[in-house]
Amino acid sequence: MQLTDKQLSSAQATAQLNKPLLVLGSKGDAVKELQKLLNHWGYYPTIDGIFGQTTLEIVKAFQRRVFLKPDGIVGNLTWQALYTGSPINMPILQRGSKGQAVITLQETLQITGHYTGLIDGDFGSTTDAAVRSFQANAGLVADGIVGSRTWYALSKIFAPMGC
């Protein structure tokens, strides 16, 4: 199954409708669909319709990539992310923001080498400078605001090789 961007866009709109919850041990056509979507994003499970240990680990890797809890459970948010290849429901962050999403941002920027400060969940001047540097390197507007484009660019650092 080769998905085009147009197919992904239309599929994204319906991703939250009638998608079953998939877990380790699930079987059938929905698992094949999951495996084909993972394959589309550069992860290579065997497309056999069986949600085994390998598929579980690949789902967790994909979830980490899109900043979802890597629990291996394919629910609504994971389905949506599978259709878009993008992080889902990430907040817009900027100077003054605080909390877990800022920690995720700081940890990710640390991996990229842009952030060397404390992982403290406080979007201050050091985080702002790191975000602007990352945005400039990624070809984005370096405004220090972490919106959907910046989250998407950040998610690409976790993509499998060749994606």
PDB file of all heavy atoms in Angstrom, residues 62-90:
ATOM      1  N   PHE A  62       7.564   4.770  17.061  1.00  0.00           N
ATOM      2  CA  PHE A  62       6.791   5.781  16.342  1.00  0.00           C
ATOM      3  C   PHE A  62       6.145   6.753  17.328  1.00  0.00           C
ATOM      4  O   PHE A  62       6.157   7.965  17.115  1.00  0.00           O
ATOM      5  CB  PHE A  62       5.726   5.135  15.453  1.00  0.00           C
ATOM      6  CG  PHE A  62       4.897   6.153  14.723  1.00  0.00           C
ATOM      7  CD1 PHE A  62       5.380   6.759  13.576  1.00  0.00           C
ATOM      8  CD2 PHE A  62       3.646   6.516  15.200  1.00  0.00           C
ATOM      9  CE1 PHE A  62       4.634   7.729  12.915  1.00  0.00           C
ATOM     10  CE2 PHE A  62       2.897   7.482  14.545  1.00  0.00           C
ATOM     11  CZ  PHE A  62       3.381   8.092  13.400  1.00  0.00           C
ATOM     12  N   GLN A  63       5.579   6.242  18.414  1.00  0.00           N
ATOM     13  CA  GLN A  63       4.952   7.108  19.410  1.00  0.00           C
ATOM     14  C   GLN A  63       5.961   8.091  19.996  1.00  0.00           C
ATOM     15  O   GLN A  63       5.640   9.263  20.184  1.00  0.00           O
ATOM     16  CB  GLN A  63       4.302   6.269  20.514  1.00  0.00           C
ATOM     17  CG  GLN A  63       3.052   5.548  20.038  1.00  0.00           C
ATOM     18  CD  GLN A  63       2.510   4.571  21.064  1.00  0.00           C
ATOM     19  OE1 GLN A  63       3.264   3.905  21.785  1.00  0.00           O
ATOM     20  NE2 GLN A  63       1.190   4.439  21.120  1.00  0.00           N
ATOM     21  N   ARG A  64       7.174   7.625  20.279  1.00  0.00           N
ATOM     22  CA  ARG A  64       8.210   8.535  20.783  1.00  0.00           C
ATOM     23  C   ARG A  64       8.496   9.632  19.765  1.00  0.00           C
ATOM     24  O   ARG A  64       8.660  10.787  20.121  1.00  0.00           O
ATOM     25  CB  ARG A  64       9.494   7.770  21.115  1.00  0.00           C
ATOM     26  CG  ARG A  64       9.474   7.079  22.463  1.00  0.00           C
ATOM     27  CD  ARG A  64      10.838   6.517  22.850  1.00  0.00           C
ATOM     28  NE  ARG A  64      11.222   5.373  22.038  1.00  0.00           N
ATOM     29  CZ  ARG A  64      10.819   4.122  22.250  1.00  0.00           C
ATOM     30  NH1 ARG A  64      10.033   3.844  23.260  1.00  0.00           N
ATOM     31  NH2 ARG A  64      11.230   3.151  21.466  1.00  0.00           N
ATOM     32  N   ARG A  65       8.536   9.236  18.496  1.00  0.00           N
ATOM     33  CA  ARG A  65       8.831  10.196  17.428  1.00  0.00           C
ATOM     34  C   ARG A  65       7.812  11.324  17.406  1.00  0.00           C
ATOM     35  O   ARG A  65       8.154  12.475  17.157  1.00  0.00           O
ATOM     36  CB  ARG A  65       8.849   9.494  16.083  1.00  0.00           C
ATOM     37  CG  ARG A  65       9.004  10.469  14.941  1.00  0.00           C
ATOM     38  CD  ARG A  65       8.953   9.803  13.601  1.00  0.00           C
ATOM     39  NE  ARG A  65       8.734  10.826  12.595  1.00  0.00           N
ATOM     40  CZ  ARG A  65       8.214  10.604  11.422  1.00  0.00           C
ATOM     41  NH1 ARG A  65       7.888   9.397  11.063  1.00  0.00           N
ATOM     42  NH2 ARG A  65       8.034  11.589  10.584  1.00  0.00           N
ATOM     43  N   VAL A  66       6.550  11.022  17.643  1.00  0.00           N
ATOM     44  CA  VAL A  66       5.499  12.040  17.559  1.00  0.00           C
ATOM     45  C   VAL A  66       5.079  12.547  18.943  1.00  0.00           C
ATOM     46  O   VAL A  66       4.008  13.133  19.102  1.00  0.00           O
ATOM     47  CB  VAL A  66       4.280  11.546  16.735  1.00  0.00           C
ATOM     48  CG1 VAL A  66       4.670  11.347  15.271  1.00  0.00           C
ATOM     49  CG2 VAL A  66       3.678  10.288  17.319  1.00  0.00           C
ATOM     50  N   PHE A  67       5.928  12.327  19.928  1.00  0.00           N
ATOM     51  CA  PHE A  67       5.757  12.864  21.283  1.00  0.00           C
ATOM     52  C   PHE A  67       4.501  12.366  21.985  1.00  0.00           C
ATOM     53  O   PHE A  67       3.901  13.076  22.786  1.00  0.00           O
ATOM     54  CB  PHE A  67       5.803  14.401  21.279  1.00  0.00           C
ATOM     55  CG  PHE A  67       7.024  14.943  20.593  1.00  0.00           C
ATOM     56  CD1 PHE A  67       6.932  15.600  19.379  1.00  0.00           C
ATOM     57  CD2 PHE A  67       8.281  14.782  21.147  1.00  0.00           C
ATOM     58  CE1 PHE A  67       8.060  16.083  18.735  1.00  0.00           C
ATOM     59  CE2 PHE A  67       9.416  15.261  20.513  1.00  0.00           C
ATOM     60  CZ  PHE A  67       9.308  15.916  19.304  1.00  0.00           C
ATOM     61  N   LEU A  68       4.114  11.130  21.681  1.00  0.00           N
ATOM     62  CA  LEU A  68       3.034  10.485  22.417  1.00  0.00           C
ATOM     63  C   LEU A  68       3.648   9.567  23.469  1.00  0.00           C
ATOM     64  O   LEU A  68       4.801   9.151  23.342  1.00  0.00           O
ATOM     65  CB  LEU A  68       2.153   9.648  21.476  1.00  0.00           C
ATOM     66  CG  LEU A  68       1.339  10.425  20.449  1.00  0.00           C
ATOM     67  CD1 LEU A  68       0.657   9.468  19.471  1.00  0.00           C
ATOM     68  CD2 LEU A  68       0.303  11.303  21.131  1.00  0.00           C
ATOM     69  N   LYS A  69       2.864   9.230  24.476  1.00  0.00           N
ATOM     70  CA  LYS A  69       3.327   8.284  25.483  1.00  0.00           C
ATOM     71  C   LYS A  69       3.641   6.964  24.781  1.00  0.00           C
ATOM     72  O   LYS A  69       2.770   6.375  24.132  1.00  0.00           O
ATOM     73  CB  LYS A  69       2.239   8.081  26.530  1.00  0.00           C
ATOM     74  CG  LYS A  69       2.614   7.110  27.619  1.00  0.00           C
ATOM     75  CD  LYS A  69       1.466   6.948  28.601  1.00  0.00           C
ATOM     76  CE  LYS A  69       1.788   5.893  29.624  1.00  0.00           C
ATOM     77  NZ  LYS A  69       0.654   5.659  30.531  1.00  0.00           N
ATOM     78  N   PRO A  70       4.892   6.480  24.888  1.00  0.00           N
ATOM     79  CA  PRO A  70       5.269   5.252  24.178  1.00  0.00           C
ATOM     80  C   PRO A  70       4.796   3.993  24.912  1.00  0.00           C
ATOM     81  O   PRO A  70       5.576   3.234  25.460  1.00  0.00           O
ATOM     82  CB  PRO A  70       6.794   5.342  24.114  1.00  0.00           C
ATOM     83  CG  PRO A  70       7.164   6.124  25.331  1.00  0.00           C
ATOM     84  CD  PRO A  70       6.030   7.105  25.549  1.00  0.00           C
ATOM     85  N   ASP A  71       3.485   3.782  24.881  1.00  0.00           N
ATOM     86  CA  ASP A  71       2.903   2.651  25.616  1.00  0.00           C
ATOM     87  C   ASP A  71       2.594   1.458  24.714  1.00  0.00           C
ATOM     88  O   ASP A  71       2.189   0.405  25.188  1.00  0.00           O
ATOM     89  CB  ASP A  71       1.643   3.090  26.366  1.00  0.00           C
ATOM     90  CG  ASP A  71       0.568   3.678  25.465  1.00  0.00           C
ATOM     91  OD1 ASP A  71       0.686   3.592  24.216  1.00  0.00           O
ATOM     92  OD2 ASP A  71      -0.399   4.238  26.013  1.00  0.00           O
ATOM     93  N   GLY A  72       2.746   1.634  23.390  1.00  0.00           N
ATOM     94  CA  GLY A  72       2.477   0.543  22.474  1.00  0.00           C
ATOM     95  C   GLY A  72       1.007   0.284  22.218  1.00  0.00           C
ATOM     96  O   GLY A  72       0.656  -0.642  21.502  1.00  0.00           O
ATOM     97  N   ILE A  73       0.139   1.110  22.777  1.00  0.00           N
ATOM     98  CA  ILE A  73      -1.298   0.981  22.567  1.00  0.00           C
ATOM     99  C   ILE A  73      -1.691   1.922  21.429  1.00  0.00           C
ATOM    100  O   ILE A  73      -1.418   3.115  21.482  1.00  0.00           O
ATOM    101  CB  ILE A  73      -2.084   1.318  23.852  1.00  0.00           C
ATOM    102  CG1 ILE A  73      -1.694   0.338  24.961  1.00  0.00           C
ATOM    103  CG2 ILE A  73      -3.581   1.315  23.583  1.00  0.00           C
ATOM    104  CD1 ILE A  73      -2.202   0.730  26.337  1.00  0.00           C
ATOM    105  N   VAL A  74      -2.323   1.378  20.407  1.00  0.00           N
ATOM    106  CA  VAL A  74      -2.713   2.187  19.257  1.00  0.00           C
ATOM    107  C   VAL A  74      -4.160   2.630  19.445  1.00  0.00           C
ATOM    108  O   VAL A  74      -5.096   1.901  19.156  1.00  0.00           O
ATOM    109  CB  VAL A  74      -2.527   1.415  17.939  1.00  0.00           C
ATOM    110  CG1 VAL A  74      -2.901   2.298  16.745  1.00  0.00           C
ATOM    111  CG2 VAL A  74      -1.101   0.911  17.809  1.00  0.00           C
ATOM    112  N   GLY A  75      -4.294   3.824  19.987  1.00  0.00           N
ATOM    113  CA  GLY A  75      -5.599   4.445  20.187  1.00  0.00           C
ATOM    114  C   GLY A  75      -5.775   5.606  19.234  1.00  0.00           C
ATOM    115  O   GLY A  75      -5.026   5.760  18.255  1.00  0.00           O
ATOM    116  N   ASN A  76      -6.728   6.471  19.515  1.00  0.00           N
ATOM    117  CA  ASN A  76      -7.101   7.564  18.628  1.00  0.00           C
ATOM    118  C   ASN A  76      -5.920   8.466  18.249  1.00  0.00           C
ATOM    119  O   ASN A  76      -5.706   8.758  17.069  1.00  0.00           O
ATOM    120  CB  ASN A  76      -8.221   8.378  19.274  1.00  0.00           C
ATOM    121  CG  ASN A  76      -8.775   9.419  18.335  1.00  0.00           C
ATOM    122  OD1 ASN A  76      -8.953   9.155  17.153  1.00  0.00           O
ATOM    123  ND2 ASN A  76      -9.032  10.595  18.852  1.00  0.00           N
ATOM    124  N   LEU A  77      -5.145   8.928  19.231  1.00  0.00           N
ATOM    125  CA  LEU A  77      -4.049   9.842  18.924  1.00  0.00           C
ATOM    126  C   LEU A  77      -2.968   9.167  18.083  1.00  0.00           C
ATOM    127  O   LEU A  77      -2.412   9.781  17.176  1.00  0.00           O
ATOM    128  CB  LEU A  77      -3.453  10.424  20.207  1.00  0.00           C
ATOM    129  CG  LEU A  77      -4.350  11.380  20.988  1.00  0.00           C
ATOM    130  CD1 LEU A  77      -3.661  11.836  22.268  1.00  0.00           C
ATOM    131  CD2 LEU A  77      -4.759  12.570  20.138  1.00  0.00           C
ATOM    132  N   THR A  78      -2.686   7.915  18.381  1.00  0.00           N
ATOM    133  CA  THR A  78      -1.679   7.210  17.589  1.00  0.00           C
ATOM    134  C   THR A  78      -2.178   7.010  16.161  1.00  0.00           C
ATOM    135  O   THR A  78      -1.418   7.209  15.206  1.00  0.00           O
ATOM    136  CB  THR A  78      -1.303   5.866  18.242  1.00  0.00           C
ATOM    137  OG1 THR A  78      -0.795   6.126  19.561  1.00  0.00           O
ATOM    138  CG2 THR A  78      -0.245   5.139  17.433  1.00  0.00           C
ATOM    139  N   TRP A  79      -3.442   6.655  15.988  1.00  0.00           N
ATOM    140  CA  TRP A  79      -3.996   6.528  14.633  1.00  0.00           C
ATOM    141  C   TRP A  79      -3.861   7.851  13.886  1.00  0.00           C
ATOM    142  O   TRP A  79      -3.438   7.873  12.722  1.00  0.00           O
ATOM    143  CB  TRP A  79      -5.463   6.105  14.665  1.00  0.00           C
ATOM    144  CG  TRP A  79      -5.706   4.635  14.827  1.00  0.00           C
ATOM    145  CD1 TRP A  79      -6.297   4.008  15.890  1.00  0.00           C
ATOM    146  CD2 TRP A  79      -5.394   3.587  13.898  1.00  0.00           C
ATOM    147  NE1 TRP A  79      -6.353   2.656  15.680  1.00  0.00           N
ATOM    148  CE2 TRP A  79      -5.813   2.361  14.465  1.00  0.00           C
ATOM    149  CE3 TRP A  79      -4.788   3.564  12.640  1.00  0.00           C
ATOM    150  CZ2 TRP A  79      -5.656   1.138  13.820  1.00  0.00           C
ATOM    151  CZ3 TRP A  79      -4.633   2.341  11.997  1.00  0.00           C
ATOM    152  CH2 TRP A  79      -5.062   1.152  12.576  1.00  0.00           C
ATOM    153  N   GLN A  80      -4.230   8.950  14.528  1.00  0.00           N
ATOM    154  CA  GLN A  80      -4.140  10.253  13.862  1.00  0.00           C
ATOM    155  C   GLN A  80      -2.701  10.548  13.447  1.00  0.00           C
ATOM    156  O   GLN A  80      -2.446  11.008  12.328  1.00  0.00           O
ATOM    157  CB  GLN A  80      -4.653  11.357  14.775  1.00  0.00           C
ATOM    158  CG  GLN A  80      -6.151  11.343  14.957  1.00  0.00           C
ATOM    159  CD  GLN A  80      -6.598  12.452  15.881  1.00  0.00           C
ATOM    160  OE1 GLN A  80      -6.302  13.614  15.641  1.00  0.00           O
ATOM    161  NE2 GLN A  80      -7.299  12.099  16.942  1.00  0.00           N
ATOM    162  N   ALA A  81      -1.760  10.296  14.342  1.00  0.00           N
ATOM    163  CA  ALA A  81      -0.353  10.543  14.035  1.00  0.00           C
ATOM    164  C   ALA A  81       0.132   9.634  12.912  1.00  0.00           C
ATOM    165  O   ALA A  81       0.956  10.047  12.082  1.00  0.00           O
ATOM    166  CB  ALA A  81       0.495  10.357  15.287  1.00  0.00           C
ATOM    167  N   LEU A  82      -0.366   8.413  12.864  1.00  0.00           N
ATOM    168  CA  LEU A  82       0.017   7.495  11.788  1.00  0.00           C
ATOM    169  C   LEU A  82      -0.436   8.008  10.424  1.00  0.00           C
ATOM    170  O   LEU A  82       0.251   7.819   9.421  1.00  0.00           O
ATOM    171  CB  LEU A  82      -0.572   6.105  12.035  1.00  0.00           C
ATOM    172  CG  LEU A  82       0.144   5.267  13.077  1.00  0.00           C
ATOM    173  CD1 LEU A  82      -0.747   4.140  13.573  1.00  0.00           C
ATOM    174  CD2 LEU A  82       1.458   4.724  12.524  1.00  0.00           C
ATOM    175  N   TYR A  83      -1.585   8.653  10.359  1.00  0.00           N
ATOM    176  CA  TYR A  83      -2.071   9.181   9.090  1.00  0.00           C
ATOM    177  C   TYR A  83      -1.367  10.468   8.687  1.00  0.00           C
ATOM    178  O   TYR A  83      -1.230  10.752   7.501  1.00  0.00           O
ATOM    179  CB  TYR A  83      -3.581   9.388   9.126  1.00  0.00           C
ATOM    180  CG  TYR A  83      -4.332   8.113   8.851  1.00  0.00           C
ATOM    181  CD1 TYR A  83      -4.924   7.390   9.873  1.00  0.00           C
ATOM    182  CD2 TYR A  83      -4.425   7.615   7.556  1.00  0.00           C
ATOM    183  CE1 TYR A  83      -5.586   6.205   9.618  1.00  0.00           C
ATOM    184  CE2 TYR A  83      -5.080   6.428   7.289  1.00  0.00           C
ATOM    185  CZ  TYR A  83      -5.665   5.730   8.331  1.00  0.00           C
ATOM    186  OH  TYR A  83      -6.318   4.547   8.075  1.00  0.00           O
ATOM    187  N   THR A  84      -0.915  11.251   9.657  1.00  0.00           N
ATOM    188  CA  THR A  84      -0.289  12.536   9.332  1.00  0.00           C
ATOM    189  C   THR A  84       1.230  12.486   9.371  1.00  0.00           C
ATOM    190  O   THR A  84       1.894  13.296   8.742  1.00  0.00           O
ATOM    191  CB  THR A  84      -0.744  13.631  10.315  1.00  0.00           C
ATOM    192  OG1 THR A  84      -0.290  13.293  11.627  1.00  0.00           O
ATOM    193  CG2 THR A  84      -2.254  13.801  10.294  1.00  0.00           C
ATOM    194  N   GLY A  85       1.787  11.567  10.156  1.00  0.00           N
ATOM    195  CA  GLY A  85       3.231  11.533  10.348  1.00  0.00           C
ATOM    196  C   GLY A  85       3.719  12.663  11.228  1.00  0.00           C
ATOM    197  O   GLY A  85       4.916  12.937  11.309  1.00  0.00           O
ATOM    198  N   SER A  86       2.799  13.328  11.890  1.00  0.00           N
ATOM    199  CA  SER A  86       3.124  14.512  12.684  1.00  0.00           C
ATOM    200  C   SER A  86       2.675  14.357  14.127  1.00  0.00           C
ATOM    201  O   SER A  86       1.749  13.599  14.412  1.00  0.00           O
ATOM    202  CB  SER A  86       2.404  15.742  12.115  1.00  0.00           C
ATOM    203  OG  SER A  86       2.793  16.000  10.807  1.00  0.00           O
ATOM    204  N   PRO A  87       3.308  15.124  15.007  1.00  0.00           N
ATOM    205  CA  PRO A  87       2.827  15.163  16.388  1.00  0.00           C
ATOM    206  C   PRO A  87       1.391  15.668  16.438  1.00  0.00           C
ATOM    207  O   PRO A  87       0.996  16.529  15.653  1.00  0.00           O
ATOM    208  CB  PRO A  87       3.778  16.157  17.066  1.00  0.00           C
ATOM    209  CG  PRO A  87       5.008  16.130  16.220  1.00  0.00           C
ATOM    210  CD  PRO A  87       4.521  15.923  14.820  1.00  0.00           C
ATOM    211  N   ILE A  88       0.625  15.123  17.360  1.00  0.00           N
ATOM    212  CA  ILE A  88      -0.784  15.470  17.530  1.00  0.00           C
ATOM    213  C   ILE A  88      -0.966  16.135  18.898  1.00  0.00           C
ATOM    214  O   ILE A  88      -0.414  15.674  19.895  1.00  0.00           O
ATOM    215  CB  ILE A  88      -1.655  14.183  17.477  1.00  0.00           C
ATOM    216  CG1 ILE A  88      -1.459  13.441  16.160  1.00  0.00           C
ATOM    217  CG2 ILE A  88      -3.126  14.484  17.705  1.00  0.00           C
ATOM    218  CD1 ILE A  88      -1.908  14.157  14.921  1.00  0.00           C
ATOM    219  N   ASN A  89      -1.735  17.182  18.921  1.00  0.00           N
ATOM    220  CA  ASN A  89      -2.115  17.835  20.185  1.00  0.00           C
ATOM    221  C   ASN A  89      -0.948  18.405  20.988  1.00  0.00           C
ATOM    222  O   ASN A  89      -1.017  18.449  22.210  1.00  0.00           O
ATOM    223  CB  ASN A  89      -2.920  16.883  21.076  1.00  0.00           C
ATOM    224  CG  ASN A  89      -4.281  16.571  20.510  1.00  0.00           C
ATOM    225  OD1 ASN A  89      -4.786  17.284  19.648  1.00  0.00           O
ATOM    226  ND2 ASN A  89      -4.885  15.507  20.984  1.00  0.00           N
ATOM    227  N   MET A  90       0.106  18.812  20.323  1.00  0.00           N
ATOM    228  CA  MET A  90       1.197  19.445  21.065  1.00  0.00           C
ATOM    229  C   MET A  90       0.861  20.924  21.209  1.00  0.00           C
ATOM    230  O   MET A  90       0.413  21.558  20.261  1.00  0.00           O
ATOM    231  CB  MET A  90       2.535  19.264  20.346  1.00  0.00           C
ATOM    232  CG  MET A  90       3.001  17.814  20.293  1.00  0.00           C
ATOM    233  SD  MET A  90       3.100  16.992  21.908  1.00  0.00           S
ATOM    234  CE  MET A  90       4.519  17.798  22.622  1.00  0.00           C
TER     235      MET A  90
END
